[in-house]
Amino acid sequence: MPQSAQAIAPVATAPPAGPVPRRVRVWDPIVRIFHWTVVGGVIANLTYLRHAETPHIYVGYAVVAALLVRLGWGFVARGHARFTSFVPGPRRLVGYFAAMPGKREPRYVGHNPAGAAMIVLLLVLLATVGATGWMMGLDAFWGVAWVESLHEVTANVLIGAVALHVVGAIVESIRHRENLPLAMITGYKRVAEGTDIDNAPVAD
């Protein structure tokens, strides 16, 4: 007597919790390479290479070269890498800071005004450290006290600014539920939704 076929029940799958957020490329390769070159160079030169003269000099040159590329790219790039897309005016910067205590500041797809102001400060500090470091190797400025002092003081200020930048990135990552360090690796962030602001909507 033939056995009856046994039906195979389909395996139930749970529906997705919600729509998968769409992503957009924000940071192009030049921005990301610059960022991590500076991170590695600054950490190296301000820690274990601080008193290693020759490696310190060459790492400094590498950071300065990356800085020059980024400065040039900031004027000709499209999208979020272009300086005009994120450098804030005083009114926008003050308004953003005023909204922060009440956690009312909007999410920006690119740099928010506070982050943009920090980027400008970091670029100025890097340029100053690089320029004074280069001057210290010239005969005309060899052993000149003010050049050495400016180099040392600016390097120390840079340490504080970098620490504040890291804290700000962590706070914003938590506040807007978005991993900003990871975005600087992959180049991608969530698209603008709701009250989010995309300050450079043209794709790179």
Side-chain angles (χ1 to χ4, degrees), residues 82-170:
R82 196 178 185 94
F83 292 141
T84 54
S85 76
F86 67 84
V87 176
R91 180 178 299 179
R92 186 151 58 99
L93 182 60
V94 170
Y96 187 85
F97 279 129
M100 289 179 66
K103 296 182 179 180
R104 294 178 291 104
E105 75 279 11
R107 170 185 172 266
Y108 279 73
V109 175
H111 291 302
N112 63 50
M118 176 58 72
I119 295 302
V120 172
L121 174 61
L122 290 172
L123 293 177
V124 171
L125 291 173
L126 285 170
T128 304
V129 171
T132 53
W134 171 71
M135 291 168 65
M136 288 166 60
L138 300 177
D139 291 339
F141 296 98
W142 180 265
V144 176
W146 72 263
V147 176
E148 295 179 353
S149 296
L150 182 58
H151 184 77
E152 188 73 18
V153 169
T154 308
N156 289 331
V157 174
L158 180 62
I159 295 174
V162 168
L164 187 59
H165 176 63
V166 171
V167 170
I170 294 172

Side-chain angles (χ1 to χ4, degrees), residues 6 9 25 27 33 40 44 58 71 91-92 103 110 121 131 135 163-164 174 191 199:
Q6 191 175 28
R25 194 181 77 164
W27 309 126
I33 291 171
Y58 284 116
L71 290 175
R91 180 178 299 179
R92 186 151 58 99
K103 296 182 179 180
L121 174 61
M135 291 168 65
L164 187 59
I174 296 172
V191 297
N199 43 357

